[in-house]
Amino acid sequence: MMRRMNYRLGCFLLVLATLTLVTCRNLIIGAEYNIRAEELRIFLASLRASGCTAEVVLFSGRHQEHTQRLADRFGATVIMYDFPELNRTHGPVGVHRFKLYRQFLEKRIGQYEHVLHTDVRDVMFQDDPFARIDSHGGGAFFLESNHLLIGTSPTNRGWMTENCSVYRAENMLQRVSHRLRCCSGNMYGTSLAVYWYAKLMEDEQQRTATVTRDENGSVISGGWCADQAVQQALLWTGRFSQMMNLTTYYNEDGPLCTMGDVVSISVDDFGEVRNSKGELYAVVHQYDRHKRVKDLLAARYDEEDSPSRINPNFDPNYQDRLLYGNPNLIVRHQTADVRIEPEGGFGDPSSMPGEEVQVKQQQQDAGEQPVATCSKGDTCSEESKKWEELVAAAPAGEAEHVAAIGAILTEESEYPEVFEGRGVVMAAGGRVQVANAYVTLRMLRRIGCSLPVELFYADESEMSAEVVELLEGMGVVCYNIYHLPNVSSSLPLRGFQIKAFAVVFSSFEEVIWLDSDVVPLRNPLELFSSALYSAHGNVFWQDWSRDPHWISRDFLAAYGLRMEDGERELEAGQFAVSKRRAWRALQVVLYINSHFMHFYRRMYGDKDSWRLAFKLARLPLGRVARAADAVGLLDPSGRFCGNTMMHFLEDQPMFLHRTLQTLVALPTPLPGGDQEGLEEVLARYSSRRAWQLRTVGGRQAIAPRLDPLAGGWRVEKEEEDEQGHKHWCLYVE
């Protein structure tokens, strides 16, 4: 644990630097309006308690006596500005602050080594950010929790569409929807990098604003795109990279945490927030979203005049621990995973499938690794010994997952006799996916498939009662997955991870899974009578990409697997599986997708969790040998634009998977009553005359990341339709 100093020592060093005429090389800059005393006190007192001696400049749009008093006490500078005027001409404080930063920094380039731009109202410090964050000579950005992408976050989608007409017209959401969210409350870098950041943010906000001007050209009123929408548009379209080197930090293991909607937060006995490596976050943003952390901070800094005097009912040894560290704290953190619920609660974490209660208090020596124990008496099987060796050799951060999967595979587990029959399982939620699922379901019935269908969604915000009623009228049973007894409301299931839960918790014993953008060309019932299914109890299709691509050799080696160069990844948009024959593998799939925040950084979504699970369970994988063909359209110049995979079964077309062309342009999503529009879309996608076919010819479609010059196929986002919308295309090289 890095040694830290209390706020008095930090203030002493700040005064010492001033007395010895040593120039302050680092700067923290923020803007506030109407901030409460306790919020500013936590911000400033925690900063100085971390030992940080950086200069602090706060732009304030409203004079408040406590703001200046606290600034004086903790060595900060308050700069007053004309809030009403700037609010009118440059938007609210979250928008116009970048103009203030730009004007301040352009006169002081070279005076500061590094600058941290940060929110003020909901930020606290646990360590010196300038000692913990490395911008590598440029700018550093901080990603939000990785269980939601920009495109799967309702708030971020709204910022890119309903709340920003310019980005809506430019289809910005489609361009960045697959990216992780990047919080605009914090940015770090060299003074030059932060200057360019502020300037680019200001310029883009002016470009995207919808304003009304008087006869002199002055802004009377305006509509402003959200600062986070602007930052994400600039970051993920490469416009920041023109001005600075970029570093992005993950929320889970980086030096800064945005706590807003994280699923699981590790907080030790003293209310200190730690990342997945067991390290203190240097900066914690949005701490007020989590009641326990907020209450602990209020207790720690409960005296306005002397915030270093900790409430004795909270922790009387806090100052000594800050100064000298607490080695026992590290051991305790390594063996304790404490879930902190945001206000409103997560529900009972003990009901999470395949997991123990998340609050664990184990007495282990420092550095001791978790072990996959043997449950078969005193003599462990060779398999159990193998997993114990893998756990011992696993890298830090991977050992607990190796142990958990080893336990699944070595302990006795009987197949539950609760499933029966055959059926189709799907998941959908939100406007786009529901429209896609509707088309798939209509096609399913049109080609004569009478199998029952179960469709899962995350919660009421994803599927309205009207949509449920419409789908149930087609013979579909809809399930809110959080209403199932084995699924905890604490687990976010709005992404790829819902697939594993839907398959395992569906009522069928034999399952055909279909993504919402998969169109069946033949009755999927044929899968159950295929030679592959009869031999292996499952049927999967191959992706175009080959190893090594998403998964690394080291990751596979940690689980005792060896990478076979050139082996194709799985394309899990459609598959068939017998739960009875693959139950052990399905438990591994469920574990991986329950811990998606860890595993999805090592693979792309859920798709290779299936391949990995079958390999680990030593079960045969029924792969269709024939690679997918590319299906698409010809542009006016005759150039082929591939957007869909055609999968085969026994050399006959079986499915179209519209991986690069989902129905994002549907004018009135369900349940808007636009049935004629849906029928038109359905007819267009079921007409073979609308499609062109290009065979892969046995070559690899998507080149590995490590070999960008490999021949074959490549994916680009270049083609524009008549309305100027850009689409992904698959091109042959």
Side-chain angles (χ1 to χ4, degrees):
M1 178 177 176
M2 184 178 292
R3 177 174 295 181
R4 299 179 294 138
M5 298 168 283
N6 64 17
Y7 94 101
R8 286 177 175 169
L9 185 56
C11 290
F12 168 76
L13 291 176
L14 182 64
V15 172
L16 180 62
T18 303
L19 292 176
T20 56
L21 300 180
V22 176
T23 303
C24 181
R25 298 295 304 279
N26 295 320
L27 169 70
I28 293 176
I29 193 167
E32 58 84 16
Y33 178 79
N34 203 30
I35 191 171
R36 293 185 299 175
E38 56 268 28
E39 295 168 340
L40 184 57
R41 188 165 64 248
I42 289 173
F43 178 86
L44 292 173
S46 66
L47 176 68
R48 296 313 184 201
S50 76
C52 178
T53 61
E55 182 178 337
V56 179
V57 171
L58 300 177
F59 291 93
S60 179
R62 180 186 179 187
H63 175 73
Q64 298 181 103
E65 187 274 335
H66 64 258
T67 300
Q68 190 60 59
R69 184 176 71 253
L70 289 169
D72 292 342
R73 180 165 186 78
F74 292 103
T77 300
V78 177
I79 299 177
M80 302 299 299
Y81 68 96
D82 189 344
F83 176 85
E85 175 63 16
L86 210 55
N87 190 61
R88 180 178 63 83
T89 60
H90 283 74
V93 64
V95 175
H96 70 232
R97 58 181 169 174
F98 298 103
K99 177 180 176 66
L100 297 171
Y101 299 167
R102 189 264 303 166
Q103 291 176 330
F104 182 86
L105 290 172
E106 69 183 1
K107 300 175 182 178
R108 297 168 176 83
I109 296 296
Q111 292 188 23
Y112 301 106
E113 184 175 359
H114 289 97
V115 178
L116 172 65
H117 136 63
T118 181
D119 286 355
V120 180
R121 179 188 60 81
D122 56 357
V123 168
M124 65 100 163
F125 298 86
Q126 301 185 131
D127 207 344
D128 185 348
F130 298 94
R132 293 285 305 283
I133 304 173
D134 189 351
S135 66
H136 301 95
F141 294 84
F142 305 94
L143 306 178
E144 293 191 42
S145 180
N146 63 15
H147 72 278
L148 284 178
L149 305 176
I150 294 173
T152 58
S153 165
T155 301
N156 283 265
R157 287 176 63 88
W159 285 336
M160 288 284 186
T161 53
E162 287 88 350
N163 296 341
C164 189
S165 59
V166 173
Y167 284 161
R168 182 170 65 248
E170 295 175 348
N171 282 326
M172 185 60 69
L173 177 62
Q174 285 85 343
R175 298 171 65 186
V176 302
S177 62
H178 61 296
R179 299 288 192 175
L180 286 173
R181 299 165 296 159
C182 184
C183 183
S184 60
N186 307 94
M187 186 269 177
Y188 177 91
T190 64
S191 60
L192 186 61
V194 178
Y195 164 76
W196 277 113
Y197 165 76
K199 177 172 173 50
L200 289 168
M201 288 288 290
E202 179 189 2
D203 291 347
E204 181 72 356
Q205 284 164 334
Q206 290 294 306
R207 184 187 76 83
T208 56
T210 305
V211 299
T212 302
R213 301 179 184 273
D214 60 20
E215 61 276 9
N216 299 318
S218 299
V219 175
I220 300 174
S221 62
W224 308 91
C225 299
D227 56 322
Q228 182 149 323
V230 170
Q231 174 173 291
Q232 292 177 149
L234 292 172
L235 175 65
W236 296 128
T237 59
R239 282 178 278 176
F240 283 144
S241 61
Q242 299 174 16
M243 301 296 175
M244 63 188 88
N245 296 324
L246 297 184
T247 300
T248 55
Y249 284 97
Y250 285 107
N251 202 47
E252 289 71 26
D253 61 4
L256 185 148
C257 176
T258 298
M259 295 182 69
D261 59 2
V262 294
V263 179
S264 181
I265 291 292
S266 292
V267 180
D268 62 33
D269 296 345
F270 302 99
E272 294 175 320
V273 187
R274 294 176 178 268
N275 64 22
S276 61
K277 299 176 182 177
E279 303 167 340
L280 283 176
Y281 284 109
V283 185
V284 179
H285 181 210
Q286 296 177 350
Y287 65 80
D288 58 333
R289 310 287 181 91
H290 290 257
K291 188 175 187 302
R292 181 185 171 193
V293 176
K294 181 180 178 181
D295 290 347
L296 289 171
L297 284 172
R300 183 180 303 164
Y301 302 108
D302 66 341
E303 296 183 50
E304 182 169 341
D305 292 333
S306 184
S308 69
R309 289 179 54 200
I310 307 306
N311 184 335
N313 294 325
F314 174 68
D315 178 14
N317 299 315
Y318 182 71
Q319 289 188 49
D320 290 339
R321 190 167 50 79
L322 277 180
L323 188 58
Y324 301 112
N326 183 351
N328 295 326
L329 191 61
I330 301 175
V331 178
R332 183 158 59 252
H333 172 76
Q334 289 177 337
T335 59
D337 182 11
V338 182
R339 297 179 63 84
I340 301 302
E341 301 185 1
E343 296 185 49
F346 275 139
D348 181 9
S350 65
S351 63
M352 186 174 295
E355 294 212 30
E356 300 174 2
V357 178
Q358 290 280 323
V359 180
K360 303 174 184 177
Q361 296 295 335
Q362 301 175 354
Q363 299 300 319
Q364 295 185 353
D365 295 332
E368 183 178 348
Q369 300 282 14
V371 175
T373 58
C374 177
S375 61
K376 301 176 182 179
D378 296 334
T379 304
C380 288
S381 66
E382 290 300 317
E383 185 73 6
S384 297
K385 291 179 180 178
K386 182 198 81 170
W387 282 101
E388 290 180 8
E389 292 172 356
L390 289 173
V391 170
E398 203 71 49
E400 62 177 301
H401 300 291
V402 176
I405 290 177
I408 292 172
L409 296 174
T410 56
E411 294 179 358
E412 299 288 348
S413 176
E414 295 184 359
Y415 173 73
E417 300 289 343
V418 296
F419 308 112
E420 60 181 6
R422 295 169 168 175
V424 174
V425 179
M426 301 178 66
R431 297 149 58 101
V432 172
Q433 287 192 21
V434 168
N436 281 275
Y438 179 83
V439 171
T440 298
L441 291 166
R442 291 296 303 272
M443 283 297 296
L444 200 63
R445 297 312 184 206
R446 176 171 291 189
I447 61 178
C449 179
S450 59
L451 285 171
V453 178
E454 294 180 352
L455 188 146
F456 292 79
Y457 59 98
D459 56 38
E460 288 78 4
S461 66
E462 287 202 335
M463 189 83 73
S464 67
E466 292 82 2
V467 172
V468 171
E469 183 179 356
L470 173 68
L471 297 179
E472 288 181 343
M474 302 170 65
V476 178
V477 179
C478 298
Y479 291 106
N480 181 335
I481 200 162
Y482 291 122
H483 290 174
L484 300 180
N486 293 323
V487 179
S488 170
S489 60
S490 66
L491 194 65
L493 291 173
R494 285 186 171 86
F496 295 120
Q497 61 272 25
I498 194 174
K499 186 184 302 185
F501 288 81
V503 169
V504 172
F505 293 118
S506 66
S507 66
F508 310 123
E509 180 169 311
E510 296 179 276
V511 171
I512 293 173
W513 170 267
L514 296 179
D515 277 3
S516 62
D517 56 356
V518 168
V519 177
L521 301 176
R522 291 154 51 195
N523 192 335
L525 185 62
E526 297 177 21
L527 292 174
F528 294 125
S529 59
S530 67
L532 273 177
Y533 188 83
S534 298
H536 304 299
N538 63 85
V539 179
F540 284 90
W541 279 264
Q542 303 180 68
D543 207 340
W544 281 321
S545 49
R546 302 176 186 266
D547 291 335
H549 187 59
W550 294 107
I551 295 180
S552 71
R553 299 179 194 279
D554 291 343
F555 173 69
L556 289 180
Y559 292 85
L561 299 175
R562 188 180 65 174
M563 176 173 288
E564 300 292 340
D565 286 354
E567 179 181 340
R568 289 189 185 272
E569 298 175 352
L570 291 186
E571 200 282 282
Q574 57 288 301
F575 57 83
V577 64
S578 165
K579 291 183 187 177
R580 182 181 295 275
R581 297 172 66 175
W583 187 245
R584 190 65 59 90
L586 291 178
Q587 299 312 294
V588 176
V589 170
L590 199 62
Y591 179 86
I592 291 173
N593 287 275
S594 296
H595 298 81
F596 66 94
M597 286 188 286
H598 174 81
F599 286 98
Y600 282 12
R601 292 176 55 191
R602 292 152 176 82
M603 61 183 68
Y604 185 78
D606 74 292
K607 73 187 189 81
D608 266 323
S609 67
W610 306 87
R611 180 172 61 139
L612 180 62
F614 274 81
K615 283 178 175 288
L616 290 171
R618 298 182 181 179
L619 292 176
L621 200 58
R623 295 171 183 260
V624 175
R626 178 168 175 172
D629 280 340
V631 177
L633 303 171
L634 296 179
D635 64 18
S637 66
R639 191 182 188 193
F640 172 67
C641 173
N643 52 44
T644 296
M645 303 178 80
M646 177 181 281
H647 289 298
F648 294 79
L649 181 67
E650 297 171 353
D651 287 330
Q652 296 298 316
M654 189 72 195
F655 296 107
L656 292 176
H657 190 182
R658 296 178 284 104
T659 53
L660 304 182
Q661 192 181 50
T662 55
L663 304 182
V664 296
L666 197 65
T668 307
L670 293 173
D674 186 15
Q675 299 303 312
E676 293 183 2
L678 284 170
E679 293 298 332
E680 180 182 345
V681 170
L682 180 62
R684 175 158 52 92
Y685 279 91
S686 61
S687 171
R688 295 187 178 183
R689 289 174 297 179
W691 300 100
Q692 296 287 334
L693 176 64
R694 291 291 185 274
T695 178
V696 172
R699 290 184 298 176
Q700 183 169 329
I702 304 174
R705 290 180 295 177
L706 300 179
D707 189 10
L709 300 180
W713 296 73
R714 60 190 173 91
V715 175
E716 289 188 359
K717 196 173 189 178
E718 287 188 353
E719 296 299 312
E720 291 191 4
D721 60 20
E722 295 177 354
Q723 290 76 38
H725 299 158
K726 290 188 176 181
H727 299 288
W728 289 93
C729 289
L730 185 70
Y731 297 124
V732 66
E733 294 179 329

